[in-house]
Amino acid sequence: MSRSPLRVGLIGSGFMGKAHAFGYGAAAKVFDLPFAVELHTLADATPDLAARAARELGFANSTADWRAMVASPEIDVVNITVPNALHKEMALAAIAAGKHVYCEKPLAPRARDAQEMTEAAEAAGVKTQVGFNYLCNPMLRLARDMIAGGELGQIVSYRGVHAEDYMADATSPWSFRHDPQGGGAFADIGSHALATAEFLLGPITRLLGDTVTVIPDRPDGTGGRRPVEVDDLGRAFVRFAGGASGSIEASWVAMGRKMQHDFEVYGTRGALLFTQERFNELHVYSADDAPGRRGFRRIEAAPDHPPYGRFCVAPGHQIGFNDLKAIEVAGFLDALAGQGPEPFGFRQGWRVQSLVEAVHASSKAQAWVDVA
Amino acid sequence: MSRSPLRVGLIGSGFMGKAHAFGYGAAAKVFDLPFAVELHTLADATPDLAARAARELGFANSTADWRAMVASPEIDVVNITVPNALHKEMALAAIAAGKHVYCEKPLAPRARDAQEMTEAAEAAGVKTQVGFNYLCNPMLRLARDMIAGGELGQIVSYRGVHAEDYMADATSPWSFRHDPQGGGAFADIGSHALATAEFLLGPITRLLGDTVTVIPDRPDGTGGRRPVEVDDLGRAFVRFAGGASGSIEASWVAMGRKMQHDFEVYGTRGALLFTQERFNELHVYSADDAPGRRGFRRIEAAPDHPPYGRFCVAPGHQIGFNDLKAIEVAGFLDALAGQGPEPFGFRQGWRVQSLVEAVHASSKAQAWVDVA
Amino acid sequence: MSRSPLRVGLIGSGFMGKAHAFGYGAAAKVFDLPFAVELHTLADATPDLAARAARELGFANSTADWRAMVASPEIDVVNITVPNALHKEMALAAIAAGKHVYCEKPLAPRARDAQEMTEAAEAAGVKTQVGFNYLCNPMLRLARDMIAGGELGQIVSYRGVHAEDYMADATSPWSFRHDPQGGGAFADIGSHALATAEFLLGPITRLLGDTVTVIPDRPDGTGGRRPVEVDDLGRAFVRFAGGASGSIEASWVAMGRKMQHDFEVYGTRGALLFTQERFNELHVYSADDAPGRRGFRRIEAAPDHPPYGRFCVAPGHQIGFNDLKAIEVAGFLDALAGQGPEPFGFRQGWRVQSLVEAVHASSKAQAWVDVA
Amino acid sequence: MSRSPLRVGLIGSGFMGKAHAFGYGAAAKVFDLPFAVELHTLADATPDLAARAARELGFANSTADWRAMVASPEIDVVNITVPNALHKEMALAAIAAGKHVYCEKPLAPRARDAQEMTEAAEAAGVKTQVGFNYLCNPMLRLARDMIAGGELGQIVSYRGVHAEDYMADATSPWSFRHDPQGGGAFADIGSHALATAEFLLGPITRLLGDTVTVIPDRPDGTGGRRPVEVDDLGRAFVRFAGGASGSIEASWVAMGRKMQHDFEVYGTRGALLFTQERFNELHVYSADDAPGRRGFRRIEAAPDHPPYGRFCVAPGHQIGFNDLKAIEVAGFLDALAGQGPEPFGFRQGWRVQSLVEAVHASSKAQAWVDVA
């Protein structure tokens, strides 16, 4: 590892900011990274906030001036973990300064903003990443490899769901997640279901959406109620370029569900079942098993399923949510070193945003739309 | 039990004929039926077939002339378990003779036939039953009662699936199930998913369908291939009169699935999960449980859940598929005795058939249709 | 089927009497039995009780004199479903009259009584059956066949449990099940765990018991308390003739458990997991699966697993507890016709009783005992 | 956080050495630790090995002289992650130098060594920790709190298992784990089952062991076979001071099991089920639930269950195995700061070792032994 260290500038210090800092630290411990990582500067709203967060998260410097930071020659990569309405301006500034950019999902409130960001990055030749960390799960990689390798035969059907209950309480207040510019259940978590579907089966070509607002207004924080114009839940029929049909569902009012990121894949020779509720497992059916001995097989994550073995040398020990972030970081660093493709770059983040918008547009038009 | 015995005439002696005969016998053993049941006459295609089946299934008489049987004054109720293209003619003849009719599902290949049968039965004042036996499960009754009793709050979302893999093999031959007149996955088993949805949540008012043919042709039995025009799988978005939205899915090419008759119900105070794969269980989440102690609760079928206790005096012993049929029979006999409503009469069978046709029509038109 | 019908005399009309009557009826419907079955006479404590039960359960005649019935030349087989303290006298009388005997479990309160019954039956040349119906499960037959066929390699370890909670309530009254002559958790349900263990792996040769009384006294029905001298739960280490070691556990105070009849079998090439809570499934691990694809496979009961197909023509439909009884009946009738061995005769019932007594004796002596 | 940083010296750089280094890093990220942690010096067998490991794991200095390191005034706490035969000498040297000691499990090959280490540490007034990290799981803390708080009533029965299959292959070579001085399945992983049992229910007072060698010899690495004298699996009956009885089982030849660290706890008002295979869940039964609504409830780890919320701000995201190590580290640092008791000190490590030896002694003597 003779290269210079990679100098990281982080904007934001909330939950995802912490997750990024943690991810860099964890990735360095478990992977043979192509770079040493230097947590160089943390930018936040005020000097005090920034200084405190820098101390807690292990950054050497702090600033309240994110513009100065992204422009500084001492920074190689900019991590953006602020609310998504701010992503575009920051990312464009970083790109203009020639920095690589690692941005939390969703990339931008609207697909056309994401497009602008993508085209700017590609024109500038910088590398990018959007944080779709469920895709970093070794069991998802296994699922994708089994599909691609033909172990299930030809894929004919798909069912994908992402459902939680964090907005099920009608007394929870109106927030930026309810903003018609980019908010709603499908944008917030349906995006995960869409990303997983394309990760596994390849491009969706057409879809038909159906989105619903369940709780029509929420407390506005000043004693009144503010109307909710975004979807609380939604569904879409989809067609994949590979020929399969499927459905995608999203809900943030699914009482009792904390992390129902599920999928079922049916092929002509086998099937896969997965739930994020038990994300160290993949259930596989093979029609090639002997008669009378067929059944869904519960495969537990093991060193056979890279990069699980980086975290635990023995099977069955299990990785956690934060480990998914470390895998995400490591994949980006490999891409920066030219050792692999960008795992999930701006172009893919833009793609997901386009699909979300297509679901909404289709739902409004009550008609199929092309998304090829 | 001072009434005369109920004299049963059965047309057909295949799997479902056997199930009916078995159901009468089992119902008599486990329930206090309002009638003694006399398995009077079995009608089949030839005298020999009928005689042999009568002997095996315990009928006193046999005949190759179903018309004579349904007209006979010695018969009180006619059971029809032949292929569904024949249901209408037989049922109308039985109704014309003033007999009660108990017909296997689907009631008829087309909704307008089912309508004609329904209206004839209602005009004649005879009682009717269609064999939707999954609905007879004590755990489904529990689910419906919990929903109706408000234990889950207001219902906001529903997901229903019926998926199996008995048509997943592309080399299995073209059969009557592939006939565009009433065949296909949605008619064959999607009908169960639709029936369960309305059983639990009440009427569907609108739907949007999406059906797909996966295997375009099948062996025709003479060395050639015959095109398949029906759906191998399909999906529908639905709206319920009670305000909830949902989805219904059917597939007979879901490799590995043997009996995925599943539903998920989400309300403002709780949720239910069910799978027919483990149909002696219902999983219930209640937001009223204490913080830190909430979770989906696996309720096992027990004497608390009628009529389970008729079969097993202790919890956890489990009923089987054939027991569902016995419950179905007992419910019909109660209705005949005026001790309860018809559990699932021709009108409801017609309703399901209408919904199936609406799914297909909607899919073809690529538009929502009213089904209120 | 040219033989004369088999004429059944039943003593007792409680839960198990009903189950026997039901079992004969169901067996006749689903199996090609070697005999027609005639439910000839039901004997109960008084003429009225017997007459009513005979009517309900479909017996042609009734009597309050069981001695006359077992001696009658019109009876071929005697079914005994009364409390177990009465089994011996009735069985010996039936055997003396040359009748086949089908007795509920446990065969007798003490092993030496069971031995006397066994030897009498064998001397008389009559056939016998004891009702260990969990063993009739197609999935248990599959498990046994897989073990015997070497699919798991050499068996090294076994864990068997039968736990329920029907005595967990300390306010439930003292009953015959608490009688030191043959009562207690290990006799009542541990016997099932022992029978299953030997059914799967063959003879136990040595064991070491540990039994415990949790609730020291119970209401005596007259306002006082009566001491409980039997075990509420117990455990045993075991050795099998085949070389494996294992453990057996029984409890009737396992709060929340309704039917935990579980086993785990570990061999050098694979493993099996089973729970009666989901008794239409068997979970199988094979070390011969490909690396990275290994896992416990959930096999669902199907026509591949005889005699499941007698009940349901398609996989996944599931059999219930009462169907196990029908299988038990059919096996006995085959044995009576000389078409197979007695599935679980008096000798095996005696064996189980001996093992239960060995557990208690070993627990008292705090020492291993031979049971070869 | 005004204190000086805690200066850590680590001996060993294998899997557990890495886990310790990782644990310090992760703990600092997710907890408000009472100290800053300085990874000061890493000691390994040669200067080269030590230097390379120090660089990889983030230690500032390295040495091949662990004695010098533990004696250095620049070290506050010594972490020992070498094979357990070396623990005693190193720990005693560190204690003699007044250092706190954090030692991997098992504390020492024999209980009397563990005792000597414990007494030395207590005499010196230094603080100690042994790495029983399964106990750090928030769901185990929840289980313990529910038991201690009386939510399950009085505990009557316990079943604990730790089974894996890493020694199931008879061709895997003889290793230090097979050394009769401290090796074997019960010492290696049965120790976890014993630790969990006492963590949840309090002290075991008596036990009766039964241990078995399944594979009598293993390749010795030179073409021959070396006899195995330790247990491949074992079981123990136990009694707890609180009155409950139970069993503990250990196996490293349980084919198919990767992490079966399970327990079942039965009380007079409820029950708990847990498996490390899904260690972000706890299943709870309460007899206080309404009739007809009772069942085992699947509680998912959430911020309600400290310290889960340190890792994930939302429920259902899940922690992984390495996060358990971070919790372990944080608990020790709190103890060093006087902010809490030692979570699992040398005295407890000695206790577990004593229990393991008692299992073996009892098995050999075929008699109960007191372990109060």
Side-chain angles (χ1 to χ4, degrees):
Chain A
M1 201 161 62
S2 56
R3 304 185 201 225
S4 311
L6 184 81
R7 297 162 300 177
V8 175
L10 170 67
I11 318 179
S13 63
F15 175 53
M16 288 317 297
K18 220 166 158 178
H20 278 234
F22 188 92
Y24 279 110
K29 286 285 190 310
V30 300
F31 290 97
D32 292 328
L33 297 178
F35 301 102
V37 169
E38 183 184 334
L39 300 182
H40 190 283
T41 302
L42 187 150
D44 210 333
T46 69
D48 276 4
L49 279 174
R52 197 175 43 156
R55 204 165 50 236
E56 281 174 16
L57 301 183
F59 282 76
N61 311 289
S62 63
T63 178
D65 183 354
W66 66 263
R67 289 173 199 279
M69 183 184 81
V70 305
S72 161
E74 296 188 1
I75 295 293
D76 300 308
V77 59
V78 173
N79 283 44
I80 304 174
T81 66
V82 294
N84 69 32
L86 305 171
H87 289 181
K88 182 179 166 184
E89 183 183 9
M90 292 170 174
L92 291 178
I95 291 164
K99 306 301 160 66
H100 306 298
V101 185
Y102 182 175
C103 185
E104 261 316 297
K105 64 151 284 266
L107 184 51
R110 290 168 307 181
R112 69 166 177 265
D113 297 319
Q115 177 180 7
E116 192 178 337
M117 294 158 75
T118 302
E119 291 170 349
E122 290 177 359
V126 300
K127 299 204 169 164
T128 55
Q129 168 114 322
V130 188
F132 274 88
N133 49 358
Y134 298 126
L135 305 178
C136 299
N137 184 349
M139 302 320 271
L140 257 74
R141 188 197 284 196
L142 173 62
R144 189 192 55 183
D145 290 350
M146 292 183 74
I147 292 166
E151 293 188 42
L152 311 180
Q154 186 179 344
I155 305 307
V156 302
S157 179
Y158 183 84
R159 190 186 313 139
V161 177
H162 194 122
E164 304 191 25
D165 67 1
Y166 57 95
M167 290 291 179
D169 182 355
T171 67
S172 70
W174 201 99
S175 80
F176 76 92
R177 294 176 192 274
H178 300 100
D179 192 313
Q181 287 294 338
F186 234 104
D188 206 34
I189 52 178
S191 51
H192 286 299
L194 289 161
T196 295
E198 292 206 324
F199 175 81
L200 294 171
L201 264 65
I204 293 170
T205 54
R206 300 170 62 227
L207 62 78
L208 196 167
D210 177 30
T211 59
V212 177
T213 304
V214 171
I215 299 171
D217 49 50
R218 291 180 182 270
D220 65 2
T222 67
R225 309 280 301 175
R226 182 164 174 180
V228 171
E229 295 165 64
V230 301
D231 56 312
D232 288 315
L233 58 83
R235 304 166 184 93
F237 303 142
V238 297
R239 291 291 183 283
F240 294 91
S245 68
S247 67
I248 304 288
E249 180 176 345
S251 173
W252 62 22
V253 292
M255 181 60 74
R257 290 295 194 180
K258 308 307 172 189
M259 187 48 74
Q260 189 191 20
H261 182 84
D262 290 4
F263 61 78
E264 305 192 3
V265 182
Y266 296 98
T268 55
R269 300 301 307 156
L272 300 179
L273 312 180
F274 172 83
T275 176
Q276 187 74 17
E277 292 181 355
R278 289 164 171 174
F279 74 83
N280 284 272
E281 304 177 8
L282 182 68
H283 296 247
V284 178
Y285 182 93
S286 171
D288 298 326
D289 286 340
R293 301 292 182 275
R294 291 177 194 141
F296 280 94
R297 200 180 301 171
R298 181 167 72 92
I299 301 178
E300 296 176 270
D304 294 314
H305 313 116
Y308 170 93
R310 290 287 180 172
F311 295 88
C312 307
V313 295
H317 283 62
Q318 301 185 26
I319 59 172
F321 177 79
N322 289 326
D323 297 327
L324 300 179
K325 206 74 194 173
I327 298 172
E328 187 182 290
V329 165
F332 187 44
L333 295 189
D334 281 347
L336 292 185
Q339 296 176 2
E342 291 152 286
F344 203 91
F346 276 15
R347 184 163 280 273
Q348 287 152 294
W350 166 29
R351 168 65 177 171
V352 170
Q353 208 61 18
S354 301
L355 291 172
V356 169
E357 290 186 9
V359 169
H360 287 298
S362 163
S363 179
K364 198 168 172 187
Q366 303 193 4
W368 287 84
V369 298
D370 278 332
V371 293
Chain B
M1 200 161 66
S2 55
R3 306 184 201 226
S4 311
L6 185 82
R7 295 162 303 176
V8 174
L10 170 66
I11 316 178
S13 63
F15 176 53
M16 287 317 298
K18 222 167 156 178
H20 278 234
F22 188 92
Y24 279 111
K29 286 283 190 312
V30 299
F31 289 97
D32 293 327
L33 297 178
F35 303 101
V37 169
E38 184 184 335
L39 300 182
H40 190 283
T41 302
L42 187 151
D44 211 331
T46 69
D48 276 4
L49 279 174
R52 198 176 41 157
R55 207 166 47 237
E56 281 175 16
L57 301 183
F59 280 76
N61 311 288
S62 64
T63 179
D65 184 354
W66 66 263
R67 288 172 199 281
M69 184 185 81
V70 306
S72 161
E74 295 188 1
I75 296 294
D76 299 311
V77 59
V78 174
N79 283 44
I80 303 174
T81 66
V82 294
N84 70 33
L86 305 171
H87 288 181
K88 182 180 166 185
E89 183 184 9
M90 291 170 174
L92 291 178
I95 290 164
K99 306 302 161 63
H100 305 299
V101 186
Y102 181 175
C103 186
E104 259 318 297
K105 67 151 284 264
L107 184 50
R110 291 168 306 184
R112 68 167 178 265
D113 298 319
Q115 177 179 7
E116 192 179 337
M117 294 159 75
T118 302
E119 289 170 350
E122 291 178 359
V126 301
K127 297 201 170 165
T128 55
Q129 169 114 322
V130 188
F132 274 88
N133 50 358
Y134 299 126
L135 304 178
C136 299
N137 183 348
M139 301 320 271
L140 257 73
R141 188 196 284 196
L142 173 62
R144 189 192 54 184
D145 290 350
M146 291 183 75
I147 292 167
E151 291 187 42
L152 311 180
Q154 188 180 343
I155 304 307
V156 302
S157 179
Y158 183 86
R159 190 186 313 139
V161 177
H162 193 123
E164 304 191 25
D165 68 0
Y166 57 95
M167 290 293 178
D169 182 356
T171 68
S172 71
W174 202 98
S175 80
F176 76 92
R177 293 176 191 275
H178 300 100
D179 193 314
Q181 287 294 337
F186 232 104
D188 207 33
I189 52 178
S191 51
H192 286 300
L194 289 162
T196 294
E198 292 206 325
F199 175 81
L200 293 172
L201 265 64
I204 294 170
T205 53
R206 300 170 63 226
L207 61 79
L208 175 51
D210 177 30
T211 61
V212 177
T213 304
V214 171
I215 300 170
D217 48 50
R218 290 179 182 271
D220 66 1
T222 66
R225 308 280 302 175
R226 182 165 175 179
V228 172
E229 296 165 64
V230 302
D231 55 311
D232 288 316
L233 59 81
R235 303 166 186 91
F237 303 143
V238 297
R239 292 290 184 283
F240 294 91
S245 68
S247 67
I248 304 288
E249 180 175 346
S251 174
W252 63 21
V253 293
M255 181 60 74
R257 290 295 193 179
K258 308 307 172 189
M259 186 50 72
Q260 190 191 20
H261 182 84
D262 290 3
F263 62 78
E264 305 192 4
V265 183
Y266 296 97
T268 53
R269 300 301 305 157
L272 300 178
L273 311 179
F274 172 85
T275 176
Q276 186 75 16
E277 293 182 354
R278 290 167 171 171
F279 74 83
N280 284 271
E281 301 176 9
L282 181 68
H283 296 246
V284 178
Y285 183 91
S286 172
D288 298 326
D289 286 340
R293 301 293 182 274
R294 290 177 195 142
F296 279 93
R297 199 180 301 172
R298 181 166 72 94
I299 302 178
E300 297 177 89
D304 293 314
H305 313 115
Y308 171 92
R310 290 287 180 173
F311 295 87
C312 307
V313 295
H317 283 62
Q318 300 184 25
I319 59 172
F321 176 78
N322 289 326
D323 297 327
L324 300 179
K325 206 74 193 172
I327 298 172
E328 185 182 292
V329 165
F332 187 43
L333 296 189
D334 281 347
L336 293 185
Q339 295 176 3
E342 291 152 288
F344 204 91
F346 276 16
R347 183 161 281 274
Q348 286 152 295
W350 166 28
R351 169 65 178 172
V352 170
Q353 209 59 19
S354 302
L355 291 172
V356 169
E357 290 186 9
V359 168
H360 287 298
S362 162
S363 179
K364 198 169 173 186
Q366 302 192 4
W368 286 86
V369 298
D370 278 332
V371 293
Chain C
M1 201 162 62
S2 56
R3 304 184 202 226
S4 311
L6 184 82
R7 297 163 301 178
V8 174
L10 170 67
I11 317 179
S13 62
F15 175 52
M16 288 317 298
K18 221 167 156 178
H20 278 234
F22 188 92
Y24 279 110
K29 287 283 191 311
V30 300
F31 289 96
D32 293 328
L33 296 179
F35 302 101
V37 169
E38 184 185 335
L39 300 181
H40 190 283
T41 301
L42 186 151
D44 211 330
T46 69
D48 277 4
L49 280 174
R52 198 174 44 157
R55 206 165 48 237
E56 281 175 16
L57 301 183
F59 281 76
N61 310 289
S62 65
T63 178
D65 184 354
W66 67 263
R67 288 173 200 279
M69 184 186 81
V70 305
S72 161
E74 296 187 0
I75 295 295
D76 299 310
V77 59
V78 173
N79 284 43
I80 303 174
T81 66
V82 293
N84 69 31
L86 305 171
H87 289 180
K88 181 179 166 186
E89 182 184 9
M90 291 170 173
L92 291 179
I95 291 164
K99 306 303 162 62
H100 305 299
V101 186
Y102 182 174
C103 185
E104 260 316 298
K105 66 150 284 264
L107 183 51
R110 289 167 308 181
R112 69 167 177 264
D113 298 319
Q115 178 179 7
E116 191 179 337
M117 294 159 74
T118 301
E119 290 172 349
E122 291 177 0
V126 300
K127 298 203 169 163
T128 55
Q129 168 114 322
V130 188
F132 274 88
N133 50 357
Y134 298 127
L135 304 178
C136 299
N137 183 348
M139 302 320 272
L140 258 74
R141 188 197 284 196
L142 172 62
R144 189 192 54 184
D145 290 351
M146 293 184 74
I147 292 167
E151 293 188 42
L152 310 181
Q154 187 180 344
I155 304 307
V156 302
S157 179
Y158 183 85
R159 191 186 312 138
V161 178
H162 193 121
E164 305 191 24
D165 68 0
Y166 56 95
M167 290 292 178
D169 182 355
T171 68
S172 71
W174 201 98
S175 80
F176 76 92
R177 293 175 192 274
H178 300 99
D179 193 312
Q181 287 294 338
F186 233 103
D188 207 34
I189 53 179
S191 50
H192 286 299
L194 289 162
T196 294
E198 292 206 325
F199 175 82
L200 294 170
L201 264 65
I204 294 171
T205 54
R206 298 170 64 226
L207 62 78
L208 175 52
D210 178 30
T211 59
V212 177
T213 304
V214 171
I215 299 171
D217 49 50
R218 290 180 182 271
D220 65 2
T222 66
R225 309 282 299 177
R226 183 165 173 177
V228 171
E229 294 164 65
V230 301
D231 56 311
D232 287 315
L233 58 81
R235 304 166 184 92
F237 303 142
V238 297
R239 291 292 183 281
F240 294 91
S245 69
S247 67
I248 304 288
E249 180 176 345
S251 173
W252 62 21
V253 293
M255 182 59 74
R257 291 295 193 178
K258 309 306 173 190
M259 186 50 72
Q260 190 192 19
H261 182 84
D262 291 5
F263 62 79
E264 306 192 3
V265 183
Y266 297 97
T268 54
R269 299 302 306 156
L272 300 178
L273 311 181
F274 173 84
T275 176
Q276 186 74 16
E277 291 181 354
R278 290 166 170 173
F279 74 83
N280 284 272
E281 304 176 7
L282 182 68
H283 296 247
V284 178
Y285 182 93
S286 172
D288 298 327
D289 286 341
R293 302 291 183 274
R294 291 177 194 142
F296 279 94
R297 200 180 299 172
R298 181 167 71 93
I299 302 178
E300 296 177 272
D304 293 314
H305 313 115
Y308 171 93
R310 292 286 180 172
F311 295 88
C312 308
V313 295
H317 282 62
Q318 300 185 25
I319 59 172
F321 176 79
N322 289 326
D323 297 327
L324 300 180
K325 205 75 194 172
I327 298 172
E328 185 182 292
V329 164
F332 187 44
L333 295 189
D334 281 348
L336 292 185
Q339 294 175 3
E342 291 152 288
F344 203 92
F346 275 16
R347 183 162 282 274
Q348 287 151 294
W350 166 28
R351 168 65 176 172
V352 171
Q353 209 61 18
S354 301
L355 291 172
V356 169
E357 291 186 9
V359 169
H360 286 299
S362 163
S363 178
K364 199 168 170 186
Q366 302 193 5
W368 286 85
V369 297
D370 278 333
V371 292
Chain D
M1 199 161 65
S2 55
R3 304 184 202 227
S4 312
L6 185 82
R7 297 163 299 177
V8 174
L10 170 67
I11 317 178
S13 63
F15 175 52
M16 288 316 299
K18 221 168 157 178
H20 278 234
F22 188 91
Y24 279 110
K29 286 284 191 311
V30 300
F31 290 96
D32 293 328
L33 297 179
F35 303 100
V37 170
E38 184 185 335
L39 299 182
H40 190 282
T41 301
L42 187 149
D44 210 333
T46 69
D48 276 5
L49 279 174
R52 196 175 41 154
R55 204 166 50 238
E56 281 175 16
L57 301 183
F59 281 75
N61 311 288
S62 64
T63 178
D65 183 354
W66 65 263
R67 288 173 200 278
M69 183 183 83
V70 306
S72 161
E74 295 188 1
I75 296 294
D76 299 310
V77 59
V78 174
N79 282 44
I80 304 175
T81 67
V82 293
N84 68 34
L86 305 171
H87 290 181
K88 182 179 165 186
E89 183 184 9
M90 291 170 174
L92 291 179
I95 289 164
K99 306 301 161 63
H100 305 297
V101 187
Y102 182 176
C103 185
E104 259 318 296
K105 67 151 284 266
L107 184 50
R110 290 168 307 182
R112 70 167 177 262
D113 297 319
Q115 177 179 6
E116 192 180 336
M117 294 158 75
T118 301
E119 289 171 350
E122 291 178 359
V126 301
K127 298 204 169 165
T128 56
Q129 168 115 321
V130 188
F132 275 87
N133 49 358
Y134 298 127
L135 304 178
C136 299
N137 183 347
M139 302 319 271
L140 258 72
R141 187 197 284 196
L142 173 61
R144 189 192 54 183
D145 289 351
M146 292 184 74
I147 292 167
E151 292 188 42
L152 310 180
Q154 187 180 345
I155 304 308
V156 302
S157 179
Y158 183 85
R159 190 186 313 139
V161 178
H162 194 122
E164 305 191 25
D165 68 1
Y166 58 95
M167 290 291 179
D169 182 355
T171 68
S172 71
W174 202 98
S175 80
F176 76 91
R177 294 175 191 274
H178 301 99
D179 193 313
Q181 287 295 339
F186 233 103
D188 207 33
I189 52 178
S191 51
H192 286 299
L194 289 162
T196 294
E198 292 205 325
F199 175 81
L200 294 171
L201 265 65
I204 294 170
T205 54
R206 300 170 63 226
L207 61 78
L208 175 52
D210 177 31
T211 60
V212 177
T213 304
V214 170
I215 299 170
D217 48 50
R218 292 179 181 270
D220 65 2
T222 68
R225 308 280 301 176
R226 182 164 173 180
V228 172
E229 295 165 64
V230 302
D231 56 311
D232 288 315
L233 59 81
R235 303 166 186 93
F237 304 141
V238 297
R239 292 291 183 283
F240 293 91
S245 68
S247 67
I248 304 288
E249 181 176 344
S251 174
W252 63 21
V253 292
M255 182 60 75
R257 291 295 193 179
K258 308 307 174 190
M259 188 47 74
Q260 189 191 21
H261 182 83
D262 291 3
F263 61 79
E264 305 192 4
V265 182
Y266 297 97
T268 53
R269 300 301 306 156
L272 300 178
L273 311 179
F274 173 84
T275 176
Q276 186 75 15
E277 292 182 355
R278 290 165 172 173
F279 75 82
N280 284 271
E281 303 176 8
L282 181 69
H283 296 247
V284 179
Y285 182 93
S286 171
D288 298 327
D289 286 342
R293 301 295 182 272
R294 292 177 193 142
F296 279 93
R297 201 181 300 172
R298 180 166 72 92
I299 301 178
E300 296 177 90
D304 293 315
H305 313 116
Y308 171 92
R310 291 287 181 172
F311 295 88
C312 308
V313 295
H317 283 61
Q318 300 183 27
I319 59 171
F321 176 79
N322 289 327
D323 297 327
L324 300 180
K325 206 75 194 172
I327 298 172
E328 186 182 291
V329 165
F332 186 44
L333 295 189
D334 281 347
L336 292 185
Q339 295 175 4
E342 291 152 286
F344 203 91
F346 276 15
R347 184 163 280 274
Q348 286 152 295
W350 166 29
R351 168 66 177 172
V352 170
Q353 208 61 18
S354 301
L355 291 172
V356 169
E357 292 186 8
V359 168
H360 287 299
S362 162
S363 179
K364 198 168 173 188
Q366 302 193 4
W368 287 85
V369 298
D370 279 331
V371 292

